[in-house]
Amino acid sequence: MAAATEKVFVALPAEFKVGQSMLSWVLSHFGGSGATVVITHVHVPPQMIPVMGVKFHSSKLSPEQVRLFRRIELEKVNKQLDGYVHQCSKMKVKCEKLVFEKEDVVAGLVELIDLHRVNRLVISAAADRQYSRKMDKPKSRTATEIMRRADSSCKIWFICKGQLICTRGKEVDTAASVTPLLPDFGDQALQLVPYQKEDNLQSELGLYDELKEACIAAENLMKRALNESSRRQKADEEVVSALQKATEYRELYLEEVRKREELEEALARANREIAQLRQANHLSMDEQNTSPDELQEAMSEELTFERRIIDMDDVLRTAGQDTELQKEHVHIQIDLDTGGRELQARLSQSKLTAFSPSSVIQSPYDEDCIPPYFLCPIFQEPMRDPHVAADGFTYEADAIRGWLDGRNDTSPVTGEPLAHRELAPNFALGAVIQDYAIRRRQHRFS
């Protein structure tokens, strides 16, 4: 077979992305010389063949199945190599495609060199990820074996990541207009000609690589430190937020405990007052000679008070807010005062109570001495649910609402127009009226 003197054989992998950088180097160095680029690929047939989703060794299958599978594999490889052919066509470079099937890549390339009398071969020195500026010889097993076993008449260029690493064999002119890439070292066979660099430049490049690696390492450490700082800051914020929530929950709990204690205290105070009222009624009935009708009436009054006590206990248990509890408590206390006065009047008329000199002296807790600001300006009665209107005066809630519902926009006291129709409960006055009612009842039965 005639020697392929005008051809440059390029050993490329089937994947176009992997061998694209090496083909680009070949086209840039040999494209203008008029040489034909031969896309060369040694296909190693796989020994494990998938059948119905399960892989079997080729020796376990029939020869027809093996031939069919390998023919399909070769068709796939040829289609993949078409990417290189298309790239050469775009660069207007003559191109051929050669697929050589062999069990071993090195043996296949050596046989191909001998069979086609290849005198110019471009092969990968190593994978692109292994490239470095200090690289001056092949690193892959295939490239090393080809350098050792290939015919000495074959000039070999070793490429990695689109860069010439070294050559083997005599110098070959690629084009008249192209400056030789390497100095001529003669026709020495199996001679390794590394890519020459000046010592100082090589030293600077080495320092540059080390500095670049150090910068990358420092940047990575900085990113890790920032991430760790951000994570710790977020954790601290979560801890502070949890402590704040715990404090808020504790305050709410203490507030609920305080309200419960107030409710229990109010209930206990009401129970004591009612117990005193019962005791006074029983003592009066035992000491005096009471007629059956009057005794029956007094017992009826006592049952009425007991029912009111039960109602008050239910209200205290079901009350959801302090304001409602205070309102109901004031109502019950005023009712108890009224009932106590009526019962006392009846007992006095029936001579069930003894004369007491203290009744002659007027007390600030007597009915005639009720403070005027306890009275509603509209009803002129002690207020049970005091509310403040826009004029600043306090009224019974039902009274002032009835006044406003009657389309009255003026103050019931001053007659001046009201700034608004909103009402606000007067808790302070309600508490004072409640306390006054308790003290007046204690004074009456003392």
Side-chain angles (χ1 to χ4, degrees):
M1 183 178 293
T5 56
E6 298 298 328
K7 294 183 179 181
V8 178
F9 288 77
V10 186
L12 293 169
E15 295 81 1
F16 177 73
K17 291 183 179 180
V18 179
Q20 185 178 9
S21 61
M22 186 162 63
L23 179 63
S24 299
W25 184 91
V26 172
L27 294 177
S28 64
H29 287 74
F30 296 98
S33 65
T36 301
V37 176
V38 181
I39 307 300
T40 306
H41 176 73
V42 178
H43 175 65
V44 179
Q47 296 299 318
M48 301 301 294
I49 300 175
V51 178
M52 301 295 291
V54 181
K55 290 186 177 181
F56 296 91
H57 195 272
S58 58
S59 61
K60 303 294 183 180
L61 301 176
S62 63
E64 291 78 8
Q65 289 177 318
V66 174
R67 282 196 299 271
L68 177 61
F69 174 77
R70 291 183 176 177
R71 188 182 66 185
I72 295 174
E73 286 293 313
L74 280 175
E75 291 177 356
K76 290 181 180 179
V77 170
N78 276 284
K79 288 183 180 180
Q80 290 177 320
L81 294 176
D82 288 341
Y84 299 114
V85 177
H86 179 68
Q87 184 69 18
C88 293
S89 299
K90 288 176 61 178
M91 300 295 294
K92 297 181 180 180
V93 176
K94 295 179 182 180
C95 178
E96 295 180 4
K97 184 171 57 174
L98 177 61
V99 179
F100 197 76
E101 188 171 359
K102 198 70 175 177
E103 299 294 334
D104 181 69
V105 176
V106 175
L109 287 175
V110 171
E111 184 177 348
L112 184 143
I113 292 172
D114 295 337
L115 183 63
H116 293 271
R117 296 183 182 179
V118 176
N119 57 11
R120 289 190 293 185
L121 175 66
V122 180
I123 190 172
S124 174
D128 288 349
R129 63 177 178 275
Q130 296 179 344
Y131 171 76
S132 68
R133 293 178 180 270
K134 298 179 180 181
M135 188 175 178
D136 57 0
K137 61 181 179 179
K139 290 186 177 181
S140 68
R141 186 191 70 85
T142 301
T144 304
E145 289 295 319
I146 291 297
M147 178 185 293
R148 185 177 63 85
R149 295 170 55 181
D151 189 88
S152 60
S153 62
C154 180
K155 177 70 176 289
I156 305 176
W157 287 263
F158 295 93
I159 309 299
C160 184
K161 202 174 182 180
Q163 301 293 328
L164 177 63
I165 303 303
C166 63
T167 61
R168 194 214 71 166
K170 64 180 181 179
E171 178 68 15
V172 178
D173 295 331
T174 58
S177 60
V178 179
T179 304
L181 298 175
L182 297 172
D184 188 5
F185 288 94
D187 297 334
Q188 301 176 5
L190 299 177
Q191 180 182 3
L192 183 64
V193 184
Y195 185 68
Q196 299 295 323
K197 299 179 182 178
E198 296 182 359
D199 294 340
N200 56 350
L201 179 60
Q202 186 175 4
S203 176
E204 291 178 0
L205 291 176
L207 292 175
Y208 173 78
D209 291 339
E210 293 178 0
L211 180 61
K212 186 176 180 180
E213 293 176 358
C215 291
I216 294 174
E219 185 177 357
N220 292 334
L221 289 175
M222 181 65 70
K223 289 181 180 179
R224 290 172 57 187
L226 290 176
N227 292 335
E228 182 67 18
S229 176
S230 176
R231 187 185 66 80
R232 291 189 177 184
Q233 183 178 1
K234 185 177 180 181
D236 293 340
E237 292 176 356
E238 292 177 354
V239 170
V240 172
S241 177
L243 291 176
Q244 291 178 351
K245 289 183 179 180
T247 303
E248 293 176 358
Y249 291 153
R250 183 174 180 275
E251 292 177 354
L252 291 175
Y253 171 75
L254 294 177
E255 181 67 17
E256 290 295 329
V257 171
R258 185 185 63 80
K259 291 181 179 180
R260 180 181 293 274
E261 291 177 352
E262 292 178 355
L263 291 174
E264 292 177 352
E265 183 180 355
L267 179 60
R269 186 168 57 249
N271 289 334
R272 288 196 300 269
E273 294 172 358
I274 294 171
Q276 292 176 359
L277 180 60
R278 288 178 179 175
Q279 185 178 4
N281 288 337
H282 285 300
L283 290 175
S284 299
M285 291 179 182
D286 292 340
E287 293 175 357
Q288 302 296 331
N289 186 13
T290 308
S291 63
D293 294 338
E294 292 174 341
L295 182 60
Q296 183 68 25
E297 185 176 358
M299 292 176 65
S300 177
E301 292 288 342
E302 183 178 0
L303 291 175
T304 301
F305 286 135
E306 289 179 353
R307 285 195 295 270
R308 293 304 302 273
I309 293 169
I310 295 172
D311 293 340
M312 185 180 69
D313 291 340
D314 293 337
V315 170
L316 290 174
R317 283 192 299 268
T318 59
Q321 298 180 355
D322 292 344
T323 56
E324 297 297 330
L325 179 62
Q326 291 176 355
K327 293 177 184 179
E328 188 64 18
H329 201 179
V330 171
H331 293 173
I332 293 175
Q333 288 176 344
I334 294 176
D335 290 343
L336 289 176
D337 292 341
T338 304
R341 288 197 302 271
E342 293 177 357
L343 180 60
Q344 187 176 10
R346 293 181 181 181
L347 292 176
S348 298
Q349 292 175 1
S350 302
K351 296 181 180 180
L352 296 178
T353 57
F355 174 77
S356 175
S358 61
S359 61
V360 179
I361 303 175
Q362 191 174 22
S363 171
Y365 297 104
D366 291 341
E367 185 175 2
D368 295 337
C369 297
I370 296 177
Y373 54 86
F374 286 4
L375 303 178
C376 173
I378 298 176
F379 285 169
Q380 293 299 318
E381 294 179 356
M383 289 179 284
R384 299 182 178 183
D385 187 10
H387 276 64
V388 181
D391 58 358
F393 290 93
T394 302
Y395 305 88
E396 178 65 30
D398 294 339
I400 188 62
R401 289 195 182 100
W403 174 270
L404 296 175
D405 291 342
R407 297 183 179 180
N408 295 312
D409 296 330
T410 58
S411 170
V413 178
T414 64
E416 297 293 331
L418 295 174
H420 55 80
R421 301 171 64 87
E422 300 295 331
L423 301 176
N426 193 338
F427 296 121
L429 182 58
V432 173
I433 295 175
Q434 175 185 353
D435 184 70
Y436 177 82
I438 294 173
R439 294 179 181 275
R440 189 176 65 178
R441 185 165 57 254
Q442 291 176 349
H443 172 73
R444 185 170 61 249
F445 291 104
S446 60

